[in-house]
Every structure is written in structure tokens, then in C-alpha cells.
């Protein structure tokens, strides 16, 4: 910290403009090259690596999650709804038969038949 503060005091003591370029041309060029190299590395990372990983994740989310899992579960629940809708007839006789069938199946399960 003291080295940085001392360097700043030396280079920027009372000058209204940037004097680092005038006083120490080599250090200034080195710092500019370092800045540009960091920018190039970061831009390469974002453009080539991060963007492609983001596109891959988006593809996987669209195909696997939204396509297969969500649509598959929605279709399965829709088929259960169709089956339940077929059971609803509005006729009391039909409901009594379903009740008796359920009672017989429950009795058979409790008796150990299956």
C-alpha cells in the first residue's frame, strides 16, 4: 500500500494531466498491455466458453426439463383425468356398482387373496 501511494504521489504530484506516460514510458506501456491482455482473456472467456455453456444449459433445459419431464408429467396427469372423467356418469346405479366393486376388492385384499 505504501509503495502504491508513494508511486502515485511521485507520478501524479501536482500535474493536471496524466504524467505516467511522460515520465515512465515503459511502465505505462506495460500497464496498458496488461490491461488489454486481461480484457482479451475475459472477452474470449465470455464469448467462447461462458456463452457456449449457457447455450448448452438452455438447450438441456428446453429439451429435457420442459420437453420430456414437464410435458410427460402433464400428459400422464391428463390421462388420469380422462380416466376419472369416464368414471363420472351422473347415475346413482353406476356409483353403487363401483362402491360394491371397491368393497369386494378391499375384502379380497384383506383376506390375502392378492
Amino acid at each position: 500500500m505504501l509503495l502504491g501511494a508513494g508511486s502515485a504521489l511521485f507520478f501524479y504530484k501536482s500535474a493536471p494531466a496524466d504524467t505516467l506516460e511522460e515520465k515512465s514510458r515503459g511502465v505505462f506501456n506495460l500497464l496498458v498491455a496488461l490491461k488489454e491482455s486481461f480484457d482479451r482473456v475475459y472477452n474470449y472467456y465470455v464469448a467462447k466458453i461462458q456463452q457456449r455453456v449457457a447455450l448448452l444449459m438452455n438447450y438441456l433445459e428446453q429439451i429435457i426439463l420442459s420437453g420430456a419431464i414437464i410435458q410427460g408429467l402433464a400428459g400422464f396427469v391428463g390421462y388420469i383425468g380422462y380416466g376419472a372423467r369416464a368414471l363420472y356418469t351422473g347415475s346413482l346405479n353406476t356409483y353403487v356398482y363401483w362402491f360394491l366393486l371397491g368393497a369386494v376388492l378391499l375384502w379380497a385384499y384383506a383376506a390375502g387373496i392378492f
Side-chain angles (χ1 to χ4, degrees), residues 65-82:
L65 287 180
S66 295
I69 296 174
I70 302 299
Q71 295 297 327
L73 288 176
F76 178 70
V77 170
Y79 285 130
I80 290 174
Y82 286 136

Side-chain angles (χ1 to χ4, degrees), residues 9 50 78 93:
L9 184 63
Q50 184 179 2
N93 293 336

Side-chain angles (χ1 to χ4, degrees), residues 2-111:
L2 292 175
L3 181 64
S7 298
L9 184 63
F10 173 74
F11 286 113
Y12 300 108
K13 187 169 28 183
S14 63
D18 186 9
T19 59
L20 179 63
E21 185 176 3
E22 296 169 3
K23 288 184 179 178
S24 181
R25 188 77 156 151
V27 172
F28 181 77
N29 288 337
L30 175 69
L31 291 174
V32 168
L34 281 174
K35 177 206 166 284
E36 290 175 1
S37 67
F38 286 129
D39 288 345
R40 273 183 293 193
V41 167
Y42 181 75
N43 288 336
Y44 174 81
Y45 167 75
V46 168
K48 300 291 183 184
I49 298 170
Q50 184 179 2
Q51 188 65 26
R52 290 183 180 169
V53 169
L55 288 172
L56 175 67
M57 293 304 220
N58 183 40
Y59 174 76
L60 292 175
E61 189 268 336
Q62 293 293 324
I63 298 301
I64 294 174
L65 287 180
S66 295
I69 296 174
I70 302 299
Q71 295 297 327
L73 288 176
F76 178 70
V77 170
Y79 285 130
I80 290 174
Y82 286 136
R85 192 176 314 151
L87 296 175
Y88 178 75
T89 61
S91 170
L92 184 59
N93 293 336
T94 306
Y95 299 145
V96 169
Y97 291 133
W98 281 114
F99 174 76
L100 290 176
L101 176 65
V104 168
L105 290 175
L106 184 62
W107 174 77
Y109 179 74

